[in-house]
Amino acid sequence: AELHGHHQHLIHASSSDPIMLKFSILILFAAYTIVESFAPQSSLAAIPGKTSHNLSKTPPTMMSNDSLSNSQHILFDMPVSNNGARCRIILYKKEIPTDQVEIISPTVIGGLKSDAYLQRSPQGLMPCLSIQKPGSDMNHLAESDTIARYLLSEYSDLSPSFQPENPRSNQICRWHDVYLTPIQGCLYK
């Protein structure tokens, strides 16, 4: 995907400025450490590479959601995903069990650019939520903010609510999306 306007400038600045690059790495490491510290030990089975599924006999492009998990939702995500952290922290803090939402790495179905993944997330974005819940009128959601809002709505009976009384948290989320996310691409080049 092409980046426009100040996003291109931020990525260019962070990839050519060693101080900005170090700052970006520090922020991302801190965010990863904080989010994963909320993960219950029982969720380690859902971390990519530690799943209990034996999928080696089925080619990745032929896998359906049914053969991946019996849960009502599959969150395609990896621990290094800063955007996915927004969704994982909701799962961890609300203690949503893996029979409701299971975290699976996109590599299990061939990676972000595989046909199997692009059927779920046409732009190849991560995270992606596959909805296997009977009666749902949607099959897949991409974009971490949309997935987070879906999870908050779907599991509103579990606390914490994550619906703050003041708008400051929404502002922090926008800052993350507008300023931090665009520059994190320099870490993967």
Side-chain angles (χ1 to χ4, degrees):
E2 283 190 12
L3 297 171
H4 300 283
H6 70 283
H7 294 173
Q8 285 178 329
H9 174 70
L10 286 172
I11 289 176
H12 177 70
S14 63
S15 61
S16 63
D17 181 354
I19 293 172
M20 187 65 168
L21 181 60
K22 287 177 185 177
F23 178 71
S24 299
I25 292 169
L26 178 64
I27 296 252
L28 291 173
F29 178 74
Y32 170 76
T33 303
I34 290 167
V35 170
E36 293 309 312
S37 71
F38 289 114
Q41 289 299 316
S42 62
S43 73
L44 293 179
I47 291 176
K50 301 198 185 268
T51 61
S52 59
H53 304 290
N54 182 0
L55 302 170
S56 60
K57 295 180 182 178
T58 308
T61 57
M62 302 303 289
M63 289 183 191
S64 68
N65 284 346
D66 294 338
S67 66
L68 290 174
S69 175
N70 292 326
S71 68
Q72 290 195 12
H73 304 88
I74 297 173
L75 179 65
F76 289 97
D77 190 32
M78 297 178 73
V80 297
S81 171
N82 201 33
N83 290 317
R86 177 182 294 170
C87 303
R88 291 191 313 273
I89 201 165
I90 291 169
L91 297 177
Y92 300 154
K93 292 300 283 183
K94 284 184 168 280
E95 298 180 356
I96 298 171
T98 57
D99 68 330
Q100 294 295 309
V101 181
E102 186 168 3
I103 302 171
I104 296 178
S105 171
T107 60
V108 171
I109 59 170
L112 298 175
K113 300 301 178 195
S114 69
D115 288 340
Y117 192 78
L118 292 173
Q119 289 173 359
R120 293 165 172 88
S121 178
Q123 293 178 307
L125 299 173
M126 181 177 69
C128 175
L129 184 72
S130 286
I131 303 168
Q132 305 181 127
K133 183 178 163 184
S136 175
D137 61 347
M138 296 201 61
N139 294 324
H140 310 288
L141 292 174
E143 298 291 342
S144 61
D145 187 62
T146 304
I147 295 168
R149 289 171 188 268
Y150 173 84
L151 293 171
L152 292 175
S153 174
E154 188 69 18
Y155 298 99
S156 61
D157 57 325
L158 300 175
S159 53
S161 74
F162 288 99
Q163 300 296 325
E165 303 261 336
N166 70 51
R168 184 162 177 83
S169 67
N170 287 333
Q171 182 177 13
I172 292 169
C173 287
R174 291 314 99 187
W175 286 342
H176 168 272
D177 293 346
V178 173
Y179 300 110
L180 182 59
T181 300
I183 62 174
Q184 96 182 46
C186 68
L187 299 173
Y188 304 105
K189 291 182 182 181

